[in-house]
Amino acid sequence: GAVVSQHPSWVICKSGTSVKIECRSLDFQATTMFWYRQFPKQSLMLMATSNEGSKATYEQGVEKDKFLINHASLTLSTLTVTSAHPEDSSFYICSASPADYLRGSGANVLTFGAGSRLTVL
Amino acid sequence: DAKTTQPNSMESNEEEPVHLPCNHSTISGTDYIHWYRQLPSQGPEYVIHGLTSNVNNRMASLAIAEDRKSSTLILHRATLRDAAVYYCILRDVGDYKLSFGAGTTVTVRA
Protein backbone atom coordinates (compact mmCIF):
# COMPACT_ATOMS: atom_id res chain seq x y z
CA GLY A 1 0.00 0.00 0.00
CA ALA A 2 0.86 3.66 -0.20
CA VAL A 3 3.41 4.80 2.37
CA VAL A 4 4.17 8.35 3.47
CA SER A 5 7.24 9.01 5.57
CA GLN A 6 7.90 12.08 7.71
CA HIS A 7 11.17 13.22 9.19
CA PRO A 8 11.99 14.09 11.87
CA SER A 9 9.41 12.45 14.09
CA TRP A 10 10.14 14.93 16.82
CA VAL A 11 12.26 18.06 17.12
CA ILE A 12 13.05 20.54 19.86
CA CYS A 13 14.39 23.95 18.93
CA LYS A 14 15.05 27.33 20.46
CA SER A 15 12.75 30.25 19.88
CA GLY A 16 13.73 32.21 16.79
CA THR A 17 15.26 29.33 14.88
CA SER A 18 13.87 27.63 11.79
CA VAL A 19 12.90 23.99 11.52
CA LYS A 20 12.40 21.91 8.37
CA ILE A 21 10.11 18.90 8.23
CA GLU A 22 10.24 16.48 5.30
CA CYS A 23 7.38 14.48 3.87
CA ARG A 24 8.11 11.73 1.36
CA SER A 25 5.84 9.42 -0.60
CA LEU A 26 7.85 6.20 -0.65
CA ASP A 27 6.12 4.06 -3.23
CA PHE A 28 4.09 6.46 -5.30
CA GLN A 29 4.29 9.87 -6.89
CA ALA A 30 2.25 12.68 -5.43
CA THR A 31 1.64 15.88 -7.33
CA THR A 32 -0.23 17.14 -4.30
CA MET A 33 0.55 16.79 -0.62
CA PHE A 34 -1.29 18.23 2.33
CA TRP A 35 0.04 19.66 5.57
CA TYR A 36 -2.03 19.52 8.75
CA ARG A 37 -1.43 20.86 12.25
CA GLN A 38 -2.83 19.40 15.43
CA PHE A 39 -2.67 21.05 18.84
CA PRO A 40 -3.05 18.94 22.01
CA LYS A 41 -6.56 17.59 22.54
CA GLN A 42 -7.72 19.15 19.27
CA SER A 43 -8.50 17.79 15.85
CA LEU A 44 -6.44 18.14 12.70
CA MET A 45 -6.60 21.38 10.79
CA LEU A 46 -5.45 21.71 7.19
CA MET A 47 -2.70 24.30 6.87
CA ALA A 48 -1.82 24.17 3.20
CA THR A 49 -1.87 22.22 -0.01
CA SER A 50 1.54 21.56 -1.52
CA ASN A 51 1.68 21.42 -5.31
CA GLU A 52 4.66 19.95 -7.17
CA GLY A 53 6.36 22.57 -9.27
CA SER A 54 4.17 25.45 -8.14
CA LYS A 55 3.32 27.54 -5.13
CA ALA A 56 1.50 26.09 -2.17
CA THR A 57 -2.05 27.06 -1.39
CA TYR A 58 -2.53 28.17 2.19
CA GLU A 59 -5.69 28.00 4.24
CA GLN A 60 -7.14 31.14 5.68
CA GLY A 61 -5.26 32.33 8.73
CA VAL A 62 -2.04 30.45 7.96
CA GLU A 63 0.96 32.73 7.42
CA LYS A 64 2.69 31.71 4.22
CA ASP A 65 5.87 33.58 5.12
CA LYS A 66 6.11 31.72 8.39
CA PHE A 67 5.30 28.24 7.09
CA LEU A 68 7.33 27.82 3.92
CA ILE A 69 6.37 24.88 1.75
CA ASN A 70 8.51 23.49 -1.05
CA HIS A 71 7.36 20.64 -3.26
CA ALA A 72 10.37 20.23 -5.50
CA SER A 73 9.77 16.68 -6.65
CA LEU A 74 6.92 14.22 -7.05
CA THR A 75 7.95 12.41 -3.87
CA LEU A 76 9.09 15.16 -1.52
CA SER A 77 7.44 18.12 0.15
CA THR A 78 9.05 20.13 2.92
CA LEU A 79 7.54 22.42 5.54
CA THR A 80 9.85 24.98 7.12
CA VAL A 81 8.68 26.77 10.23
CA THR A 82 10.62 30.01 10.18
CA SER A 83 11.50 31.97 13.30
CA ALA A 84 9.66 29.46 15.43
CA HIS A 85 8.04 30.55 18.67
CA PRO A 86 6.53 28.52 21.51
CA GLU A 87 3.03 28.99 20.08
CA ASP A 88 4.17 27.08 16.97
CA SER A 89 4.72 23.99 19.10
CA SER A 90 2.39 21.43 17.63
CA PHE A 91 2.04 18.09 15.85
CA TYR A 92 2.56 18.55 12.11
CA ILE A 93 1.24 15.85 9.80
CA CYS A 94 1.51 15.49 6.06
CA SER A 95 -0.59 13.38 3.74
CA ALA A 96 -0.73 12.39 0.10
CA SER A 97 -2.61 10.20 -2.33
CA PRO A 98 -1.51 8.20 -5.36
CA ALA A 99 -4.67 9.36 -7.09
CA ASP A 100 -5.60 12.85 -8.22
CA TYR A 101 -7.01 13.91 -4.90
CA LEU A 102 -7.92 17.44 -5.95
CA ARG A 103 -10.06 16.45 -8.89
CA GLY A 104 -10.58 12.74 -8.54
CA SER A 105 -13.41 10.65 -7.14
CA GLY A 106 -14.73 11.12 -3.64
CA ALA A 107 -13.64 7.53 -3.11
CA ASN A 108 -9.94 8.41 -3.20
CA VAL A 109 -8.25 8.12 0.16
CA LEU A 110 -5.31 9.85 1.80
CA THR A 111 -2.27 8.26 3.35
CA PHE A 112 -0.85 10.16 6.31
CA GLY A 113 2.63 10.36 7.66
CA ALA A 114 3.33 9.47 11.28
CA GLY A 115 3.63 13.14 12.19
CA SER A 116 6.36 15.42 13.46
CA ARG A 117 6.11 16.84 16.95
CA LEU A 118 7.68 20.27 17.22
CA THR A 119 8.52 21.78 20.59
CA VAL A 120 9.82 25.34 20.62
CA LEU A 121 11.52 26.42 23.84
CA ASP B 1 -19.18 20.63 3.67
CA ALA B 2 -21.75 18.12 4.92
CA LYS B 3 -21.27 17.55 8.61
CA THR B 4 -21.13 14.41 10.70
CA THR B 5 -22.04 13.77 14.32
CA GLN B 6 -20.31 11.17 16.43
CA PRO B 7 -20.38 10.29 20.13
CA ASN B 8 -17.43 11.70 22.02
CA SER B 9 -16.31 8.39 23.46
CA MET B 10 -17.01 4.67 23.63
CA GLU B 11 -15.62 1.87 25.72
CA SER B 12 -15.28 -1.76 24.87
CA ASN B 13 -13.80 -4.92 26.26
CA GLU B 14 -11.05 -6.70 24.41
CA GLU B 15 -12.24 -9.34 21.96
CA GLU B 16 -15.75 -7.83 21.84
CA PRO B 17 -17.29 -6.00 18.89
CA VAL B 18 -17.44 -2.22 18.77
CA HIS B 19 -20.14 -0.35 16.89
CA LEU B 20 -19.32 3.29 16.20
CA PRO B 21 -22.26 5.35 14.96
CA CYS B 22 -22.09 8.38 12.71
CA ASN B 23 -24.96 10.64 11.73
CA HIS B 24 -24.83 12.59 8.50
CA SER B 25 -28.36 13.75 7.84
CA THR B 26 -27.34 16.34 5.22
CA ILE B 27 -25.31 13.93 3.11
CA SER B 28 -25.49 14.50 -0.64
CA GLY B 29 -25.95 11.79 -3.22
CA THR B 30 -22.31 11.90 -4.24
CA ASP B 31 -20.72 12.06 -0.79
CA TYR B 32 -18.58 9.09 0.13
CA ILE B 33 -18.43 8.10 3.79
CA HIS B 34 -14.86 7.73 4.98
CA TRP B 35 -13.50 6.51 8.29
CA TYR B 36 -10.01 7.24 9.53
CA ARG B 37 -8.53 6.55 12.92
CA GLN B 38 -5.71 8.14 14.82
CA LEU B 39 -3.70 6.17 17.32
CA PRO B 40 -1.99 8.13 20.10
CA SER B 41 0.88 10.26 18.80
CA GLN B 42 0.41 9.02 15.23
CA GLY B 43 -0.95 10.41 12.01
CA PRO B 44 -4.44 9.31 10.94
CA GLU B 45 -4.85 5.96 9.28
CA TYR B 46 -7.44 5.07 6.64
CA VAL B 47 -9.94 2.47 7.85
CA ILE B 48 -12.73 2.08 5.31
CA HIS B 49 -15.05 3.98 3.00
CA GLY B 50 -18.31 3.43 1.16
CA LEU B 51 -21.02 5.10 -0.88
CA THR B 52 -24.25 3.13 -0.62
CA SER B 53 -23.56 -0.53 0.01
CA ASN B 54 -22.11 -2.07 3.14
CA VAL B 55 -18.37 -2.63 2.90
CA ASN B 56 -15.97 -5.04 4.55
CA ASN B 57 -12.19 -5.07 4.69
CA ARG B 58 -9.56 -6.64 6.90
CA MET B 59 -9.83 -3.86 9.46
CA ALA B 60 -13.57 -3.28 9.82
CA SER B 61 -17.03 -3.28 8.32
CA LEU B 62 -19.09 -0.27 7.34
CA ALA B 63 -22.84 -0.50 7.54
CA ILE B 64 -24.67 2.29 5.70
CA ALA B 65 -28.33 3.03 6.35
CA GLU B 66 -30.67 2.73 3.42
CA ASP B 67 -31.36 6.48 3.44
CA ARG B 68 -27.60 7.13 3.91
CA LYS B 69 -28.25 9.54 6.74
CA SER B 70 -26.27 7.42 9.15
CA SER B 71 -23.60 4.76 9.15
CA THR B 72 -21.88 2.47 11.62
CA LEU B 73 -18.27 1.38 11.72
CA ILE B 74 -17.95 -2.10 13.15
CA LEU B 75 -14.77 -3.44 14.68
CA HIS B 76 -15.54 -7.11 14.97
CA ARG B 77 -13.13 -8.03 17.75
CA ALA B 78 -11.55 -5.10 19.51
CA THR B 79 -7.94 -5.35 20.53
CA LEU B 80 -5.88 -3.00 22.66
CA ARG B 81 -4.31 -1.75 19.46
CA ASP B 82 -7.72 -0.47 18.32
CA ALA B 83 -7.75 2.21 21.03
CA ALA B 84 -7.79 5.40 19.00
CA VAL B 85 -9.85 8.38 17.88
CA TYR B 86 -12.14 7.38 15.02
CA TYR B 87 -13.22 10.01 12.54
CA CYS B 88 -16.24 9.76 10.26
CA ILE B 89 -15.81 12.11 7.29
CA LEU B 90 -17.87 12.82 4.20
CA ARG B 91 -16.03 13.47 0.97
CA ASP B 92 -17.34 14.45 -2.44
CA VAL B 93 -15.45 14.67 -5.71
CA GLY B 94 -13.13 17.64 -5.58
CA ASP B 95 -13.20 17.84 -1.78
CA TYR B 96 -9.55 18.06 -0.86
CA LYS B 97 -10.00 19.40 2.62
CA LEU B 98 -10.85 16.50 4.89
CA SER B 99 -12.84 17.98 7.76
CA PHE B 100 -11.77 16.22 10.89
CA GLY B 101 -14.29 16.76 13.65
CA ALA B 102 -13.73 15.70 17.24
CA GLY B 103 -14.24 12.02 16.40
CA THR B 104 -15.02 9.21 18.82
CA THR B 105 -12.38 8.19 21.33
CA VAL B 106 -12.45 4.42 21.70
CA THR B 107 -11.08 2.87 24.85
CA VAL B 108 -10.50 -0.90 24.95
CA ARG B 109 -10.34 -2.62 28.32
CA ALA B 110 -8.15 -5.68 28.70
Side-chain angles (χ1 to χ4, degrees):
Chain A
V3 179
V4 172
S5 173
Q6 269 187 254
H7 178 81
S9 55
W10 58 271
V11 57
I12 301 172
C13 70
K14 293 182 179 179
S15 185
T17 61
S18 295
V19 174
K20 180 184 286 187
I21 300 170
E22 293 186 348
C23 177
R24 294 181 185 272
S25 55
L26 296 187
D27 51 1
F28 65 97
Q29 294 183 331
T31 56
T32 305
M33 291 184 175
F34 303 94
W35 287 95
Y36 289 79
R37 179 169 55 181
Q38 185 176 33
F39 292 108
K41 303 295 184 183
Q42 295 186 21
S43 195
L44 282 80
M45 292 296 296
L46 180 67
M47 297 176 65
T49 302
S50 172
N51 304 296
E52 189 268 337
S54 66
K55 292 182 179 180
T57 304
Y58 292 83
E59 296 300 305
Q60 191 173 8
V62 177
E63 300 174 58
K64 62 180 180 180
D65 294 331
K66 180 166 188 62
F67 299 98
L68 301 180
I69 291 173
N70 187 306
H71 195 151
S73 79
L74 288 172
T75 58
L76 174 64
S77 175
T78 60
L79 168 68
T80 301
V81 183
T82 63
S83 187
H85 291 285
E87 58 265 30
D88 298 322
S89 297
S90 188
F91 194 47
Y92 293 88
I93 309 166
C94 71
S95 67
S97 172
D100 183 349
Y101 202 76
L102 289 180
R103 287 166 290 275
S105 165
N108 292 339
V109 301
L110 281 177
T111 298
F112 288 81
S116 299
R117 187 165 303 283
L118 170 63
T119 301
V120 184
L121 302 177
Chain B
D1 290 343
K3 301 233 181 271
T4 63
T5 304
Q6 301 177 248
N8 290 332
S9 62
M10 292 192 74
E11 289 190 359
S12 173
N13 294 318
E14 204 174 8
E15 305 276 314
E16 290 185 355
V18 182
H19 291 240
L20 301 177
C22 180
N23 289 320
H24 28 77
S25 59
T26 59
I27 191 170
S28 76
T30 51
D31 279 327
Y32 279 80
I33 303 161
H34 290 254
W35 284 82
Y36 287 80
R37 71 179 185 182
Q38 187 175 22
L39 278 65
S41 299
Q42 293 287 318
E45 173 186 32
Y46 165 75
V47 178
I48 200 166
H49 75 280
L51 184 63
T52 56
S53 302
N54 294 343
V55 184
N56 299 295
N57 66 20
R58 65 174 179 82
M59 290 181 70
S61 295
L62 177 60
I64 301 173
E66 196 168 331
D67 64 4
R68 300 214 321 130
K69 294 188 176 185
S70 66
S71 60
T72 301
L73 178 71
I74 303 166
L75 307 178
H76 294 285
R77 292 180 63 191
T79 69
L80 297 178
R81 197 200 171 277
D82 292 319
V85 179
Y86 287 76
Y87 299 99
C88 170
I89 302 170
L90 300 183
R91 184 168 179 267
D92 199 352
V93 59
D95 281 348
Y96 66 92
K97 193 185 309 187
L98 286 188
S99 296
F100 286 86
T104 298
T105 299
V106 171
T107 303
V108 181
R109 293 184 292 256

